[in-house]
C-alpha cells in the first residue's frame, strides 16, 4: 500500500503553523483547511534582515491569513538578539550550524506559543522549501517540543498540556507545485533569499 504524502497526527483538528512567509504558507494552509484542520498562523522570524524586508514579508503573511479568515499572530522582531544568539556562526554555509540553530530558536518560541494557546500540535512552513534541510528542521522541532514540555512539567501553570511537533515534508502531495500557482494567484511578494544578512550574501 502506498504511503500517503501527508500524514495527519491522530486527533489533529487544529495546528499552530509557524510561517516563514506567505508564499511558503499558502499551499499548506489551503491543504489544512481542505482537510478540516484549522491553522493559526504564527509569524515569528527575527532572523529576517533588513527591517524593511521583514515588514514586507510580515504584511504579505497577514494579508493572506486575513483573506481566508484565519487567526494570524505577530511574533516579536528582535534582530539584534537573534544576531547575539547566532554569534560565532556567521561564516557557516547555508544548511550549516547557524541555520539549524536559527530553526531551533524560532520553533522554540512557536512551541511555547502553541502551549499558551492550548493548541496541541505545531508545525512549520520552513519544511516547504527545497533550499532547507528537512533533517535540521525536524531535529529543531523535536528539540523545541522537548524543551517546552519540560518547562511545563516543572509547574508553569500558564502552559497547557504537552505539545507535539508535526514533522512533515510539506513539499509532497503536489504542494510545492501548488505553492507556485498560489504565488501568482495572490500576487505575493516573492523574496530572493532566505532572510538573514548571511543568506543574502550567499545569493550575491
Amino acid at each position: 500500500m502506498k504511503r500517503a504524502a501527508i500524514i495527519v497526527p491522530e486527533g489533529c483538528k487544529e495546528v499552530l503553523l509557524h510561517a516563514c512567509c506567505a508564499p511558503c504558507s499558502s499551499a499548506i494552509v489551503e491543504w489544512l483547511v481542505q482537510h478540516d484542520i484549522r491553522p493559526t498562523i504564527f509569524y515569528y522570524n527575527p532572523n529576517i534582515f533588513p527591517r524593511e524586508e521583514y515588514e514586507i514579508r510580515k504584511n504579505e503573511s497577514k494579508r493572506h491569513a486575513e483573506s481566508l479568515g484565519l487567526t494570524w499572530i505577530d511574533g516579536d522582531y528582535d534582530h539584534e538578539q537573534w544576531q547575539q544568539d547566532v554569534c560565532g556562526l556567521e561564516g557557516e554555509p547555508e544548511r550549516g550550524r547557524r541555520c539549524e540553530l536559527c530553526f531551533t530558536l524560532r520553533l522554540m518560541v512557536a512551541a511555547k506559543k502553541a502551549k499558551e494557546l492550548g493548541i496541541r500540535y505545531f508545525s512549520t512552513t520552513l519544511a516547504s522549501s527545497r533550499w532547507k534541510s528537512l533533517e535540521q528542521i525536524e531535529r529543531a522541532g523535536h528539540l523545541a517540543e522537548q524543551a517546552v514540555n519540560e518547562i511545563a512539567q516543572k509547574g508553569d501553570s500558564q502552559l497547557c498540556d504537552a505539545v507535539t511537533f508535526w514533522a512533515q515534508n510539506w513539499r509532497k502531495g503536489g504542494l510545492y507545485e501548488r505553492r507556485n500557482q498560489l504565488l501568482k494567484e495572490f500576487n505575493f511578494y516573492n523574496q530572493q533569499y532566505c532572510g538573514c544578512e548571511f543568506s543574502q550574501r550567499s545569493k550575491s
Side-chain angles (χ1 to χ4, degrees):
M1 180 180 294
K2 186 177 180 181
R3 182 179 172 86
I6 299 176
I7 308 297
V8 179
E10 184 177 356
C12 180
K13 292 297 181 183
E14 185 178 15
V15 62
L16 182 105
L17 184 66
H18 167 261
C20 57
C21 64
C24 288
S25 306
S26 56
I28 300 171
V29 168
E30 181 181 73
W31 188 94
L32 291 169
V33 172
Q34 289 174 347
H35 289 79
D36 299 320
I37 301 171
R38 185 166 184 83
T40 293
I41 311 300
F42 182 52
Y43 187 82
Y44 178 70
N45 304 289
N47 58 304
I48 297 175
F49 180 86
R51 180 66 185 249
E52 293 77 13
E53 178 77 15
Y54 172 84
E55 293 294 337
I56 292 171
R57 298 189 194 190
K58 182 183 80 170
N59 291 333
E60 287 289 79
S61 176
K62 185 177 182 182
R63 173 172 73 91
H64 176 234
E66 290 181 344
S67 73
L68 300 174
L70 298 174
T71 300
W72 181 90
I73 299 172
D74 186 7
D76 293 332
Y77 179 74
D78 189 345
H79 188 69
E80 289 185 3
Q81 180 60 55
W82 180 87
Q83 288 176 314
Q84 293 178 30
D85 291 336
V86 301
C87 182
L89 300 175
E90 295 88 346
E92 283 283 308
E94 289 297 287
R95 299 192 179 194
R97 291 181 298 160
R98 184 188 64 248
C99 290
E100 185 160 351
L101 176 58
C102 179
F103 300 155
T104 303
L105 293 168
R106 290 147 80 188
L107 292 180
M108 199 81 73
V109 175
K112 187 168 184 180
K113 179 59 67 175
K115 273 192 172 292
E116 292 173 352
L117 296 174
I119 300 174
R120 179 179 175 185
Y121 293 101
F122 71 102
S123 192
T124 178
T125 65
L126 290 167
S128 70
S129 171
R130 61 191 178 95
W131 303 111
K132 295 180 173 63
S133 165
L134 292 173
E135 292 77 14
Q136 286 185 335
I137 294 167
E138 186 167 346
R139 283 196 298 269
H142 286 306
L143 184 62
E145 170 192 314
Q146 179 182 357
V148 173
N149 284 332
E150 285 177 356
I151 293 173
Q153 291 174 359
K154 293 179 180 178
D156 189 337
S157 60
Q158 294 182 344
L159 299 179
C160 73
D161 293 336
V163 294
T164 301
F165 178 60
W166 181 357
Q168 174 64 54
N169 181 349
W170 293 110
R171 305 167 197 168
K172 291 188 173 182
L175 294 191
Y176 188 79
E177 292 76 16
R178 181 60 177 152
R179 169 201 185 277
N180 294 331
Q181 293 172 350
L182 290 170
L183 189 153
K184 296 177 182 178
E185 289 181 20
F186 279 90
N187 193 27
F188 287 133
Y189 167 73
N190 192 27
Q191 58 271 11
Q192 299 301 311
Y193 64 101
C194 176
C196 72
E197 54 267 51
F198 311 115
S199 65
Q200 188 178 35
R201 290 171 195 166
S202 73
K203 290 290 184 182
S204 60

